[in-house]
Amino acid sequence: MGRFHGQIRNLLDRDTFSKSDPICVLYTQGIGNKEWREYGRTEVIDNTLNPDFVKKFIMDYFFEERQNLRFDLYDVDSKSPNLAKHDFLGQMFCTLGEIVGSQGSRLEKIVTGIPGKNCGTIIVIAEELSNCRDAVLMQFCANKLDKKDFFGKSDPFLVFFRSNEDGSFIICHKTEVVKNTLNPVWQAFKIPVRALCNGDFDRTIKVEVYDWDRDGSHDFIGEFTTSYRELSRGQSQFNVYEVINPKKKGKKKKYLNSGTVTLLSFLVETEVSFLDYIKGGTQINFTVAIDFTASNGNPAQPTSLHYMNPYQLNAYGMALKAVGEIIQDYDSDKMFPALGFGAKLPPDGRVCHEFALNGNPQNPYCNGIDGVMEAYYRSLKSVQLYGPTNFAPVINHVARYAASVKDSSQYFVLLIITDGVISDMAQTKEAIVNAAKLPMSIIIVGVGPAEFDAMIELDGDEVRLSSRGRYAERDIVQFVPFRDYIDRSGNHVLSMARLAKDVLAEIPDQFLLYMRSRGFKPFPAPPPYTPTGHLLQTQI
């Protein structure tokens, strides 16, 4: 979940005798019908070209979806909520991924929409709502607890309760039992701050102390209350608590307490998120590998999976566009290596399993997803479809680049689009097991009617992939059959959005698993942008 904070410079002035009274309106777009829906409006600020909006817009963010946004600016002329009654000052289109994927999650774009007019610039800054992502590591000990067992000392444990809005309590943690002592030291434990106090630092936390009994009828020793704010003071005289048994206190005049519990340590750890890395400048490098084996059929024939239909994209083109248009937002230079495998190349007809679609092996980069599409169509006209279907060379190609990265600056995603039966299964399994130790993930989209049993094995969701007795360190492959996403009604937009969602949904977790296992922290985000001059600050 995130919120936007934006700024606008040099807003168009539409009022004759004074400055404009601007408002910013945010729209989101439906995936299937492409219809724009109003999401919210800022407040109106009177008589300025540099307003500072206070209103924030909070929105759920999904890495695996293309979330189109539109920002419309108006000069408000009356109290009417009808936007048609006000002067239009321009608009800006972008995706949420484009904002998040920009350095520092700060996107700067020209405001357009009025021909021949300079409408100014909009800067939109996204920030993640942490929703209290912190976890806390705490350790407690106790002294002189009441003796509850007839033949020995007590076997104490602690139970922690979070209070709810209505004053009731819900259990949120239980320590281990320390046997036969009145002065236990419990092991340190980690708990999300959300679980402990729901993000409210002053909310009551109740702790009950029990003596463990084998039959489950644990004896109550006593209780005390505290709060996250009190605990956060760490080890001090404020964090020594008297354990009180209300029944005993009511009966005995000289009753002091049933012992004390002391906080020994309190350490806050912030769980870093995928967006923390992106905000710090981590680049997602996207590479495409396309299957040019003869089993796809002659590209000149309508039955071919590579058929160049002048009216609509083929399956390869649709899958490439669906995934690529989302991932490109996280790659600042928008230059993508595009490879082919399984074809005979001109002029000598040699078979190649990692050739550059643009014909330049020294520089296989294409400009944007449109550049990749162009290179793909050009290759179809120049190479001869052949075989066999070998994946290992393109996986190893990307792995060579990934192996040179020793920090959190880059992560690689390889998209393989294939018509199916793999010829080098043993080598591919070996390549994937090796790649699982590197900053990379692999997406495989299977097109056509083939059986994709081998791809399901590579996916590793059911059984962790292994090669020669070595298991993959993590699951890095996500496979989907294209045929599961063909929309019978012909609405490819919706079906391709579903395909992209399913293949990309696992990437953030795969990414985090790699970075955490290597101890790679996000780079710090650039300092907040503070430009000179007056600005319209849209807190969006």
Side-chain angles (χ1 to χ4, degrees), residues 370-420:
D370 291 339
V372 175
M373 300 292 283
E374 273 174 46
Y376 162 58
Y377 289 129
R378 264 207 314 277
S379 282
L380 280 177
K381 290 173 184 165
S382 64
V383 306
Q384 182 193 339
L385 302 195
Y386 202 67
T389 307
N390 291 355
F391 283 9
V394 291
I395 294 171
N396 290 330
H397 175 101
V398 175
R400 281 195 295 276
Y401 289 93
S404 67
V405 178
K406 305 294 184 204
D407 56 18
S408 65
S409 62
Q410 297 178 72
Y411 192 85
F412 295 78
V413 175
L414 168 62
L415 170 64
I416 300 174
I417 313 177
T418 179
D419 78 331

Side-chain angles (χ1 to χ4, degrees), residues 287-291 293 337-343 350-356 364 387-402 414-416 422-432 434-435 438 440 442 458:
T287 302
V288 182
I290 290 178
D291 180 339
T293 54
L339 309 171
F341 58 91
R350 67 190 170 87
V351 177
C352 187
H353 293 293
E354 50 167 321
F355 62 90
T389 307
N390 291 355
F391 283 9
V394 291
I395 294 171
N396 290 330
H397 175 101
V398 175
R400 281 195 295 276
Y401 289 93
L414 168 62
L415 170 64
I416 300 174
I422 183 168
S423 313
D424 65 339
M425 189 65 174
Q427 293 90 330
T428 294
K429 284 163 78 169
E430 179 76 3
I432 291 170
N434 291 334
L438 301 172
M440 67 181 279
I442 300 166
L458 296 178

Side-chain angles (χ1 to χ4, degrees), residues 160-274:
F160 289 75
F161 296 86
R162 178 181 78 234
S163 61
N164 296 320
E165 300 292 342
D166 62 1
S168 62
F169 286 93
I170 185 165
I171 185 168
C172 61
H173 182 75
K174 197 183 282 186
T175 68
E176 79 284 7
V177 175
V178 183
K179 291 288 185 71
N180 200 28
T181 178
L182 303 179
N183 302 297
V185 178
W186 289 280
Q187 289 173 15
F189 63 91
K190 190 173 174 179
I191 183 170
V193 174
R194 266 196 329 274
L196 195 59
C197 63
N198 218 11
D200 177 353
F201 292 176
D202 297 304
R203 187 175 291 214
T204 301
I205 297 165
K206 183 170 77 170
V207 185
E208 294 181 348
V209 188
Y210 286 91
D211 167 37
W212 177 85
D213 281 332
R214 190 180 305 275
D215 64 3
S217 62
H218 311 309
D219 298 321
F220 178 67
I221 294 174
E223 64 186 18
F224 63 92
T225 60
T226 180
S227 69
Y228 180 87
R229 197 175 299 284
E230 283 180 58
L231 292 169
S232 67
R233 295 158 101 168
Q235 189 181 19
S236 67
Q237 76 268 30
F238 302 110
N239 277 316
V240 179
Y241 298 95
E242 287 191 283
V243 176
I244 303 297
N245 184 328
K247 279 187 182 171
K248 276 193 174 183
K249 193 174 182 183
K251 285 180 187 169
K252 298 180 182 176
K253 280 190 175 174
K254 289 188 175 176
Y255 176 80
L256 281 176
N257 59 49
S258 296
T260 59
V261 169
T262 301
L263 175 69
L264 292 175
S265 64
F266 183 94
L267 183 68
V268 179
E269 296 178 1
T270 299
E271 291 280 320
V272 293
S273 71
F274 174 68

Side-chain angles (χ1 to χ4, degrees), residues 113-141:
I114 302 176
K117 295 277 189 188
N118 178 0
C119 301
T121 307
I122 183 168
I123 297 162
V124 188
I125 299 167
E127 60 177 323
E128 188 175 10
L129 287 180
S130 64
N131 197 13
C132 214
R133 284 188 282 131
D134 293 347
V136 61
L137 187 69
M138 293 188 284
Q139 186 176 21
F140 289 87
C141 69

Side-chain angles (χ1 to χ4, degrees), residues 273-282 511-512 515 520-522:
S273 71
F274 174 68
L275 287 187
D276 289 326
Y277 287 91
I278 298 300
K279 199 163 188 175
T282 300
F511 172 101
L512 282 172
M515 295 297 173
F520 292 156
K521 298 273 189 283

